[in-house]
Amino acid sequence: MFTGLSLDQAPPFRAPLKFFLTAPIFAILAGIFALFSNNYELHSPNFIASVHLITLGYMVMLVFGALQQMLPVVAGAVIPRAKLTADITYILLTLGVVFFTLGFVVYEKIFFFISASLLLFGLLFFTVTALVQLLKVQNRSYIVKGMSISLIFFIGAFLLAIHLLISHATGNISQLHYSFATLHYNYIFFGFIFLLIVSITIQVVPMFWVAESYKQKDQRYIIYLTSAILALFPINLFLELGLTLLYKTALSSMALYFVYITIKKLKNRKRKLKDITVYFYNTSMIFLSFGVVYWLLMSFIDIPSGTLGVLLGLGFTVSLMNGMLYKIVPFLTWFHLNSKGVLDIPTMREMIPQNKMQTQYYIHTTSVIVFAFGFLLSQTIIIKGAVLLFILSNILFFINIYSTAKIYFKKEIK
């Protein structure tokens, strides 16, 4: 089951755990901000704050927490002084998200500068550290290559974000502002999140669900072609070559192919026990399919862009991260207790009861569907209903993850 893993290089459990427990808190705060907002336009300050509580406070927080564990264990890239690195990254990221949110809520320029500084040092500190360690790995699998490329795209997207944030702070919004914003969105989602999820999925689907391994040619095809398409995108964007539909079609093809082979592997997995985490993973793949098709349709008909954010952000990314965390946290709890010589440890399936995960799964999935229709129909009351479901989903998600952490702390003390 754990073939190819280097478990002896794993960082302390507390290093990634604080990231995992903080992420749903930021998601709950995003829901609260959205609940008291009457403007769900994409460029409204309050909406931007809510979105970035999800992207930075939830998604990046979970990704950085997962990478703390996965880089040394899966890729053999050992983070130096893992606990100190985690602490510095966590503090700077958390404070950066808080000041970012304050900046857009009260629109005080000083908060933009503080946020930009904190996020610049925090995110680049960890990203560059991780990238340097990945580049030192001798035998670079496509997992290592995919992670490396995704982090390079993240650095590019993040530097664009700092530029956009400073533009808001100084009021100097140029004609290229929205072109930079478009590049930022594409590099964050497809360059960072999608490529990173592909790289992680290549490892965790066969490992956690005892499925067939991904073929080398499939790994190479998805990672390299997606990277090439993204690298060429700025040429089309800034020279206005009119190739946007071709660009969208090419990226959507990569995503749909990834969806097809992943669902196929999960369907044909050797262990056929009911597993709610598989529901999350399959659901995320379905939303990714809907999302890229919707993205293509936006080139032909005038439909709200908010629905696209829901399908790709909440439907694909958050669903997948929920399912992955429900596997990772119990595994880490079991592994770290076992390495300490604790014998009386619940199995991974026993740590979070299936019925509790299932309840959260249904609430989360319903919230995404209601969100999508709310933005599609431009109905504020429907969006607010979805927000309430989203808040409840993340409260349950936090409780479920925290209950697993409590098992570790209780057993560790004994």
Side-chain angles (χ1 to χ4, degrees), residues 205 209-212 214 259-273 278 281-282:
V205 165
W209 292 287
V210 197
E212 182 186 358
Y214 287 76
V259 167
Y260 167 72
I261 59 177
T262 300
I263 289 179
K264 184 178 178 181
K265 290 183 187 305
L266 287 170
K267 181 182 178 182
N268 296 328
R269 68 190 190 280
K270 296 176 183 178
R271 188 173 295 174
K272 296 290 187 178
L273 294 173
V278 174
Y281 231 95
N282 279 329

Side-chain angles (χ1 to χ4, degrees), residues 45-107:
N46 204 57
F47 188 77
I48 292 174
S50 295
V51 167
H52 283 82
L53 277 167
I54 297 295
T55 55
L56 288 171
Y58 181 89
M59 294 180 186
V60 173
M61 187 71 73
L62 284 184
V63 165
F64 277 21
L67 287 178
Q68 294 273 340
Q69 184 69 38
M70 296 194 73
L71 288 178
V73 172
V74 172
V78 181
I79 302 294
R81 298 182 179 179
K83 186 179 183 304
L84 179 62
T85 300
D87 289 342
I88 292 172
T89 304
Y90 175 79
I91 291 169
L92 293 175
L93 176 57
T94 301
L95 291 175
V97 172
V98 169
F99 279 103
F100 183 98
T101 305
L102 286 173
F104 277 98
V105 170
V106 302
Y107 223 81

Side-chain angles (χ1 to χ4, degrees), residues 64 88-89 92-93 117-127:
F64 277 21
I88 292 172
T89 304
L92 293 175
L93 176 57
S117 300
L118 291 167
L119 291 173
L120 179 65
F121 287 112
L123 298 186
L124 286 185
F125 169 69
F126 179 78
T127 306

Side-chain angles (χ1 to χ4, degrees), residues 290-326:
F290 287 158
V292 294
V293 170
Y294 189 93
W295 189 40
L296 286 171
L297 286 175
M298 289 175 67
S299 299
F300 302 99
I301 56 179
D302 185 19
I303 47 179
S305 55
T307 303
L308 176 65
V310 170
L311 293 172
L312 295 181
L314 303 183
F316 167 55
T317 310
V318 174
S319 298
L320 187 139
M321 287 180 173
N322 277 206
M324 195 174 291
L325 261 289
Y326 279 143

